């Protein structure tokens, strides 16, 4: 096909115009006819038994149309959890509450004023229980148990034990050991959580809500409402950011469904900013202790990692954080002997889930390790990294194979473009430069949802509609799918409509989970488009009385290559109408099954990786390196990142304009989580104290450094046109880069995240004391 | 526990004159609170803090938003003057640049467009940039209280201003020619957050000697916002690096910091010393 | 307590009856159906509810509707010309990839409009100052600043 290719073109997002006009209707904007407004009664205690809930006064209030409580309305035995082992979340509880803000009852009324009044009339009798707020406290002997059936507050454990790490460390020339910590960080999403449920007399629920993965969220609702998945329809709509914070089945959706069914009217559950921060999702805190053995020549002999991960009151999708750090670490740096021991711990806090900056402590620890070891071993830090970087086609501890990698190239390029060699040690007082590398997966194993199916129907005018089960959180999936379909079919993007994320109309899809949109959903669309193209060519060939290989398409016309100037062509509209007449309407069907091993993922509290669980864990890995220049104010401890050079190994860049922007978003998140975003809980009440944009310091435009982006463009064999995950992997090394830059600037090592000004000042003062 | 989105019910009253304000206060007493720019009142009432059944909107009260200048008397800024208007006023920029600067840097454009100087001062948050600056300028505030009007120093507002008092205007006397000013703020997000700590300094120099100095501290308890002990160190002294350091150390000693969600009192004390030192350096460099 | 007020919004005059406690944001979104102005934090921290009030950027969630009586209000819906002809700011945001999830976009565009109406040749620092109140989680702000610069350039050229 040699019409001008769209691959690699910077095209604006197809949904941007509506958003710029203010026309886009998000869930938070929608009002359905007859819709009721809900308000939720929430626990003021971090841990308590629910003794009784009295709703009589609330029910009498004029304008109140339905009231639900866990005690009366939650189906018994209906528990949510993304894997069976950690199914621990009763979405509207009837026995116990486990974090401040947990749902206990809810009211639906004709307007929000009435709902707020009604909710204050509901009387709940609690029996407060002792509570625990940190993972370190939770694992101690005698700590209060968040879930009685989980001794030691251990939700789950992940263990990998390859080779013989004890021997390897014993026989190493140097063993480096450090502990890194990162605090709980928040998504701080723009659009307030909104779930609108509308129950039909037939028994079907309609949902309009923000979710990264409609099919997953639907499954959770199906399990907890005890209703067939196909009786729950998620409608498609634009969403105000997710970044990992909308990947579960949240109580708000469950409550909206219960209320709608009871009231026989649509019900909106909308949360305030503070409510979202307290009661939706966070990103787990981590304690990461790592030992790395080295030979004198710089080769790593093995790594021994122990991670304590805190998930809050319920395991939710934080369970995935147990193995993702492993998936990241094992493909960055070689380790012939490898032990990874990770515990997921319950605490009485906001539930944790996915986060786009997940697992950064892992890459951070290795980047600090390399810089520190380079001194001790007398080996250049870049050389040390290149020596241990996992190479193409290497097999890693899980027995995954890395099928595309630009890690080494990204390290060299980032250092070169940033002038790292010249600047290191030379930037003047209080200024420094550092580098850090990261990685992210495209598609890890997700059971039968490890693949996507796309369908395309052609209309009689030659336009088409592409159906995909994936949705768009703002990254630009809609544009990507349309771009891919246009590339394969050969018609303009404006002639391609997209139907996405509707669970009734579309085939199931993993959603924006495990960064699968490009490799999995994109490939499915590509295959469907190729299929449609073939059918178009065949029908045109039929009309033109040749074989399909002889037909060429340009613009909207099909013609015979060898008859140019001599024979007739046929327009796409006529091809489609003829197809209808002949009983063979044009469509395209494409299914893409991710290249992952369909084995048990290995969440088993007893056994490490073995024959049952070895296999390709991830279809494609994205890599990248950032070089960061910092300024540290020696008197206040404030760390300012002034410049970032980012080298992205994301395969082919389908749309540079979009990927660039997504990269900036990742940098923004990493900077926030790395330097200024800190969550604080009141140790006496268990209430989170940092639930607003004012108290939780997300970066503004004034905190943005200069950013230069580079793309390696090394195609991935699995990704569509060689593309893979584009905006997370490269940035996961940013915290290591910052730590290394801080050392270059001040001679002080920071092993924790966020490195807030007070922490930095303490480190500087400690250094001056020990001088 | 409930997370509220809506404001609670209340009656909005819109008096047109000071007399009408006075009358409404008598009528409603503790059931009423004032609404100036709205950035504090609405925030608090949405969180069900300081809820009253009656809100007295001041925007229509004649004469409250006027900025007037006297050649020798200085500048008087009505309490309802918007912060951005104070910052943009050519006369304020000329006659009282410290105030113009501070009003122009406080918060964000949206906050400055609605927030008023009077409302900001009456809030009595030492983390707001205006208070330290007005203290350093030895500004006076005119209050309408029971029994009539009275004038107090802004630095005494915390003890002199009672509930139900209306702040009517702020007056800054003309600074003698050659006065030096300096302002330094520390915040995690400089153009968004209130000051964690701040310092405003006004000096009058005789060559290299300091004739007079006033310091206003931000981010400390209200009674400790004017560190006279620190001022005394520099009065009449030749200004050297050591003197400035001593001033800063003393200010940090007498300025009482308290912990907030992000920072401990000890950390804030350390940074307080830093901002005072930097502000004094700026003021004495002119 | 109820008040009869007149709001001029995007050139249209609306005669409304509002309770004392209704914010301008609530009235715009719920009584006038203009949902382009977003509710994000509802406490004045995020800038998502920014509208122009007599030409100045204000937070509509922190303003009582009754206090907007008689004022001229411009929301995101009032920027484009007939048949959705995009204002240079809207066009620049689209073309420069400055819109990802788009939820914060109306607030940014209105803040930028307030800036460019006063200063059509802002430096990047002046742009960042003008959007200090606007929080974005998706874009990292870079393409937003680039878009505002481009819009300013086009508006200068058109003059």
């Amino acid at each position: 096909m040699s019409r001008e290719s769209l691959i690699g073109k910077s095209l604006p997002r197809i949904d941007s115009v509506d958003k710029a006009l203010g026309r886009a209707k998000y869930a938070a904007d929608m009002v359905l006819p007859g819709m009721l407004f809900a308000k939720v009664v929430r626990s003021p205690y971090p841990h308590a038994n629910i003794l009784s809930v009295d709703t009589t006064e609330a029910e009498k209030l004029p304008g109140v149309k339905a009231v639900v409580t866990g005690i009366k309305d939650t189906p018994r035995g209906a528990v949510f959890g993304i894997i069976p082992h950690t199914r621990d979340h009763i979405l509207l509880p009837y026995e116990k509450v486990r974090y401040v803000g947990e749902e206990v009852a809810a009211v639906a009324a004709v307007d929000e004023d009435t709902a707020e009044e009604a909710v204050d009339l509901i009387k709940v009798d609690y029996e407060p229980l002792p509570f625990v707020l940190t993972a370190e406290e939770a694992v101690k002997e005698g700590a209060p148990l968040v879930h009685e059936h989980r001794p030691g507050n251990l939700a789950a454990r992940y263990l990998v034990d390859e080779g013989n790490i004890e021997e390897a460390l014993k026989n190493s020339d140097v063993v480096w050991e450090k502990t890194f910590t990162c605090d709980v960080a928040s998504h701080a999403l723009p659009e307030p959580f909104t779930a609108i449920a509308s129950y039909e007399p037939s028994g079907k629920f309609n949902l309009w809500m923000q979710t990264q993965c409609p099919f997953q969220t639907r499954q959770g609702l199906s399990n907890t409402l005890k209703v067939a998945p196909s009786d729950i329809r998620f409608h498609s709509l634009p969403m105000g950011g997710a970044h990992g914070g909308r990947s579960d089945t949240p109580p708000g959706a469950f409550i909206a469904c219960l209320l709608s069914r009871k009231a026989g009217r649509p019900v909106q559950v909308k949360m305030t900013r503070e409510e979202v921060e307290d009661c939706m999702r966070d990103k787990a805190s981590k304690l990461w202790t790592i030992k790395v053995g080295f030979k004198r020549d710089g080769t790593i002999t093995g790594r021994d990692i122990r991670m304590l991960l805190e998930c809050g009151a319920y395991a939710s999708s934080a369970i995935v954080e147990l193995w993702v750090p492993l998936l990241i670490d094992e493909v960055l740096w070689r380790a012939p002997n490898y032990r990874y021991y990770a515990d997921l711990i319950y605490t009485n806090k906001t539930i944790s889930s996915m986060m786009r900056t997940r697992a950064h402590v892992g890459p951070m620890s290795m980047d600090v390790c390399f810089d520190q070891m380079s001194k001790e071993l007398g080996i250049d830090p870049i050389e040390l990294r290149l020596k241990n970087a996992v190479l193409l086609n290497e097999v890693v501890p899980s027995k995954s194979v890395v099928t595309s990698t630009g890690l080494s190239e990204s390290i060299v390029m980032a250092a070169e473009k940033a002038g790292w060699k010249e600047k290191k040690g030379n930037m003047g007082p209080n200024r420094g430069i550092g580098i850090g590398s990261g990685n992210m997966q495209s598609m890890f194993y997700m059971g039968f949802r490890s693949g996507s199916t796309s369908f395309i129907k052609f209309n009689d005018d030659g336009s088409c509609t592409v159906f995909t089960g994936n949705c768009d959180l703002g990254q630009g999936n809609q544009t990507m799918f349309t771009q891919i379909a246009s590339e394969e079919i050969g018609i303009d993007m404006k002639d391609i409509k997209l139907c996405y994320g509707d669970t009734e109309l579309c085939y199931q899809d993993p959603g924006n989970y495990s960064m699968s949109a490009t490799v999995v959903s994109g490939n499915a669309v590509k295959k469907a488009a190729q299929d449609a193209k073939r059918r178009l060519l065949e029908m045109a060939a039929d009309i033109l009385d040749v074989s399909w290989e002889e037909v060429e398409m340009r613009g909207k016309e099909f013609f015979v290559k060898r008859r140019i100037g001599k024979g007739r062509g046929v327009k796409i509209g006529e091809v489609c109408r003829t197809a209808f007449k002949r009983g063979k309407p044009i469509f395209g069907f494409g299914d893409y099954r991710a290249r992952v091993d369909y084995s048990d993922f290995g969440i088993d509290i007893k056994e490490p990786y073995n024959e049952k669980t070895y296999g390709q864990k991830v279809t494609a890995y994205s890599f990248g390196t950032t070089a960061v220049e910092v300024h540290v104010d020696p008197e206040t401890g404030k760390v300012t990142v002034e410049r970032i050079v980012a080298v992205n190994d994301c395969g082919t860049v389908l749309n540079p304009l979009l990927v660039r922007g997504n990269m900036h978003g990742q940098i923004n998140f990493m900077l926030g989580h790395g330097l200024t975003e800190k969550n604080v809980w009141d140790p006496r009440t268990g209430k989170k104290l940092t639930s607003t944009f004012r108290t939780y310091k997300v970066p503004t435009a004034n905190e943005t450094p200069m950013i230069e982006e580079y793309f390696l463009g090394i195609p991935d064999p699995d990704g569509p046109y060689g593309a893979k995950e584009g905006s997370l992997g490269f940035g996961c090394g940013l915290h290591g880069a910052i730590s290394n830059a801080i050392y270059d600037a001040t001679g002080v090592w920071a092993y924790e995240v966020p490195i807030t000004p007070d922490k930095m000042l303490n480190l500087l003062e400690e250094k001056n004391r020990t001088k | 526990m409930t997370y509220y989105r809506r404001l609670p019910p209340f009656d909005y009253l819109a008096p047109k004159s000071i007399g009408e304000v006075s009358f409404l206060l008598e009528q409603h007493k503790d059931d009423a609170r004032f609404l100036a720019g709205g950035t504090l009142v609405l925030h608090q009432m949405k969180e069900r803090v300081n809820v009253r059944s009656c809100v007295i909107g001041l925007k229509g009260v004649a004469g409250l938003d006027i900025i007037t200048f006297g050649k020798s008397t200085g500048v008087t800024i009505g309490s309802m003057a918007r912060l951005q208007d104070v910052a943009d006023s050519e006369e304020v920029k000329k006659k009282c640049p410290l105030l113009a600067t501070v009003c122009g840097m406080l918060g964000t454009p949206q906050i400055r467009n609605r927030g008023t100087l009077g409302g900001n001062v009456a809030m009595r948050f030492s983390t707001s940039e205006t208070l330290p600056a007005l203290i350093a300028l030895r500004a006076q505030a005119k209050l309408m209280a029971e029994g009539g009007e009275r004038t107090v120093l802004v630095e005494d507002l915390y003890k002199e201003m009672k509930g139900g008092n209306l702040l009517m205007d702020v007056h800054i006397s003309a600074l003698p020619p050659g006065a030096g000013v300096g302002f330094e703020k520390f915040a995690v997000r400089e153009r968004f957050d209130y000051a964690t700590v701040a310092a405003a300094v006004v000096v009058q120099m005789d060559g290299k000697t300091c004739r007079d100095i006033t310091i206003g501290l931000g981010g400390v308890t209200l009674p400790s916002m004017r560190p006279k002990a620190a001022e005394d160190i520099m009065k009449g002294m030749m200004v050297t690096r050591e003197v400035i350091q001593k001033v800063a150390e003393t200010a940090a000693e007498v300025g009482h910091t308290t912990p907030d969600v992000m920072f401990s009192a000890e950390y804030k004390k350390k940074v307080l010393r830093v901002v005072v030192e930097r502000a004094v350096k700026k003021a004495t460099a002119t | 307590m109820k008040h009869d007020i007149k709001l001029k919004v995007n050139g249209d005059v609306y005669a409304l009856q509002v309770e004392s406690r209704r914010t301008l944001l609530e009235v715009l979104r719920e009584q006038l159906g203009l949902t382009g102005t977003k509710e994000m934090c509802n406490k004045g921290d995020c800038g998502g509810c920014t509208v122009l009030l007599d030409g100045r950027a204000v937070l509509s969630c922190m303003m009582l509707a009754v206090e907007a009586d008689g004022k001229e209000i411009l929301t995101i819906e009032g920027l484009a010309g007939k048949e959705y002809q995009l204002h240079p700011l809207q066009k620049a945001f689209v073309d420069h990839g400055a819109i990802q999830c788009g939820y914060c976009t109306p607030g940014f565009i209105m803040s930028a409009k307030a800036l460019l109406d006063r200063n059509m040749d802002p430096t990047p620092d002046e742009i960042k100052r003008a959007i200090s109140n606007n929080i974005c989680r998706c874009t990292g702000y870079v393409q937003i600043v680039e878009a505002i610069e481009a819009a300013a350039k086009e508006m200068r050229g058109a003059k």
Side-chain angles (χ1 to χ4, degrees), chain A residues 46 131-134 349 680-689:
Chain A
F131 59 91
V132 64
L133 290 182
T134 65
K349 273 155 78 170
V680 176
W681 273 262
D682 185 330
R684 299 159 303 148
T685 63
K687 169 94 176 57
K688 194 196 233 191
L689 298 173

Side-chain angles (χ1 to χ4, degrees), chain B residues 4-13 35-44 46-48 55 57-59 82 84-85 88 104-105 107-114 189 191-192, chain C residues 1 3 19-23 26 30 39 42-47 50 53 56-59 61-64 66-69 71 107 111 118 125-126 128-135:
Chain B
Y4 300 98
R5 193 203 318 287
R6 308 284 173 170
L7 284 164
F10 59 82
D11 289 340
Y12 175 83
L13 306 168
L35 177 66
T39 49
L40 178 73
V41 174
L42 296 190
H43 192 138
Q44 285 188 337
K46 281 184 188 184
E47 298 190 331
R48 301 300 186 271
V55 166
L58 294 172
K59 77 176 188 59
R82 309 280 172 187
Q84 193 62 53
D85 290 337
D88 290 341
M105 76 189 288
T108 64
Q110 285 90 324
I111 301 268
R112 296 192 287 273
N113 284 334
R114 289 293 296 166
R189 297 169 296 187
R191 290 176 176 173
F192 185 88
Chain C
M1 188 187 250
H3 308 265
E19 275 186 61
S20 294
R21 62 169 155 168
R22 289 283 78 96
T23 62
E26 288 167 356
E30 293 164 17
E39 186 202 322
N42 206 32
K43 295 276 169 65
D45 290 338
C46 70
T50 303
L53 185 86
R56 295 191 175 199
V58 299
L59 302 165
C61 77
M62 296 302 277
M63 196 174 156
L64 294 178
V66 62
E67 290 212 325
D69 185 18
K71 304 269 187 209
S111 293
R118 276 183 183 67
D125 190 66
E126 285 171 328
K128 287 185 183 182
R129 189 180 278 279
I131 56 175
S132 297
N133 211 139
N134 295 86
I135 305 270

Side-chain angles (χ1 to χ4, degrees), chain B residues 128-159:
Chain B
S128 176
E129 291 90 321
T130 51
L131 268 191
L134 288 170
I135 289 174
L137 290 166
R138 298 197 190 166
Q140 295 171 309
K142 183 154 81 186
L143 298 176
M144 186 190 84
E146 283 169 20
E149 292 176 2
R150 42 196 285 261
T151 300
V152 303
L153 282 175
V154 168
E155 75 192 59
D156 292 331
L157 270 178
Y158 73 92
K159 53 184 177 187

Side-chain angles (χ1 to χ4, degrees), chain A residues 62 182 222 253 301 322 350 396 404 441 617 619 714 717 735:
Chain A
C182 81
S222 162
T301 57
L322 266 192
T350 313
V396 294
S404 77
Q441 313 88 45
K617 294 298 177 199
T619 302
I714 302 171
H735 291 158

